[in-house]
Amino acid sequence: MADQRDVWLVVPVYNEGPVVAEVINEALRVFPNIVCVDDGSKDNSAEQIRRTGAHLVRHPVNLGQGAAIQTGVEYARAQPGAAYFATFDSDGQHLVSDVERMVQRLRDEPLDILVGTRFHGSTEHIPFLKRLVLKTVVALSPRLRKLHLSDAHNGLRVFNKKVAGDMNITLNGMGHASQIVEMIVRERWRVAEERVTIQYTEYSMAKGQSLINGVNIMFDTVLRTNARR
């Protein structure tokens, strides 16, 4: 197994007590350095994380996924030896094997950031609403089309120290994904997509993207696109 001690997984957590320990323990088998950002959870998420031995940072109140990712990146990039970073969901949707492959690709290729995409092969397993929202976001965003990104709101991203050092997410909620795309363009990070598998379990789908959040993502995309024309 490859030595992954220079890799840090950044895991935003909000009310994932039933599954977060299992998710983190599985990831720890490959990646010894994980920081979980408990974003004001009201359940026992923090207690479950402590049992795994992963690093834990806590927001006293819920600030949103963007804020949790930024906090986690700031923590991880300050650690000695940290060279690669991955954002990883806490609900069990992502595969550790996908992160391994993406990290290896960054080691081997002249890239700064890899963005996961679930749009490859058959997409029938993706809930219809989610497919509609994500495809509409791409259709509305010239930046995504220019960068050849088909799934910019995929939570699985792997990037190098340069990206981690420059990352400055100021949109606390789901709009952070659009902001990361803007940073890719502005900072001229070398970007590519990687095919990944999203596991839609009964649990993750129950906590998944709501219609209101989906509309908010599309609205944010339209506003940010028009504001820069």
Side-chain angles (χ1 to χ4, degrees), residues 173-216:
M174 297 305 295
H176 72 276
S178 299
Q179 190 174 28
I180 289 174
V181 171
E182 291 180 7
M183 284 188 277
I184 291 172
V185 174
R186 183 178 67 248
E187 303 294 337
R188 298 184 178 181
W189 296 334
R190 298 166 298 177
V191 62
E193 279 194 334
E194 178 72 21
R195 295 182 174 188
V196 300
T197 298
I198 302 296
Q199 300 185 116
Y200 291 105
T201 64
E202 183 177 346
Y203 174 84
S204 67
M205 289 179 67
K207 292 178 64 69
Q209 190 66 55
S210 69
L211 176 59
I212 292 176
N213 277 343
V215 172
N216 285 341

Side-chain angles (χ1 to χ4, degrees), residues 10-223:
V10 174
V11 184
V13 181
Y14 181 62
N15 292 340
E16 301 287 5
V19 299
V20 66
E22 180 180 355
V23 170
I24 298 306
N25 281 326
E26 182 177 352
L28 282 169
R29 294 172 185 169
V30 178
F31 298 102
N33 297 317
I34 299 177
V35 56
C36 297
V37 181
D38 179 21
D39 188 32
S41 294
K42 298 179 180 179
D43 66 358
N44 66 340
S45 291
E47 179 182 346
Q48 294 296 321
I49 293 166
R50 287 193 184 98
R51 291 177 178 177
T52 69
H55 296 243
L56 173 64
V57 179
R58 302 188 71 180
H59 288 167
V61 296
N62 179 240
L63 297 177
Q65 192 176 77
I69 290 174
Q70 182 63 32
T71 295
V73 169
E74 290 177 6
Y75 182 94
R77 70 191 182 193
Q79 305 308 309
Y84 298 96
F85 308 80
T87 59
F88 192 81
D89 285 355
S90 57
D91 59 3
Q93 285 197 334
H94 293 157
L95 298 181
V96 176
S97 58
D98 283 340
V99 183
E100 286 185 274
R101 191 176 63 256
M102 293 168 79
V103 169
Q104 190 59 50
R105 189 174 170 190
L106 278 193
R107 296 185 193 277
D108 295 339
E109 299 181 30
L111 294 168
D112 297 311
I113 181 169
L114 276 169
V115 180
T117 179
R118 74 200 88 186
F119 291 108
H120 55 88
S122 173
T123 59
E124 293 302 314
H125 65 291
I126 304 174
F128 172 76
L129 176 60
K130 189 174 290 288
R131 271 185 287 152
L132 177 63
V133 168
L134 295 174
K135 286 183 176 294
T136 302
V137 167
V138 173
L140 292 174
S141 174
R143 282 185 174 84
L144 291 177
R145 297 196 301 273
K146 180 180 179 180
L147 295 172
H148 305 291
L149 297 179
S150 61
D151 192 8
H153 284 81
N154 193 312
L156 184 52
R157 308 175 187 89
V158 176
F159 44 93
N160 61 17
K161 194 167 186 176
K162 170 180 169 54
V163 171
D166 292 340
M167 188 166 286
N168 183 29
I169 300 171
T170 58
L171 293 178
N172 289 350
M174 297 305 295
H176 72 276
S178 299
Q179 190 174 28
I180 289 174
V181 171
E182 291 180 7
M183 284 188 277
I184 291 172
V185 174
R186 183 178 67 248
E187 303 294 337
R188 298 184 178 181
W189 296 334
R190 298 166 298 177
V191 62
E193 279 194 334
E194 178 72 21
R195 295 182 174 188
V196 300
T197 298
I198 302 296
Q199 300 185 116
Y200 291 105
T201 64
E202 183 177 346
Y203 174 84
S204 67
M205 289 179 67
K207 292 178 64 69
Q209 190 66 55
S210 69
L211 176 59
I212 292 176
N213 277 343
V215 172
N216 285 341
I217 288 173
M218 289 189 286
F219 187 66
D220 173 79
T221 300
V222 172
L223 282 181

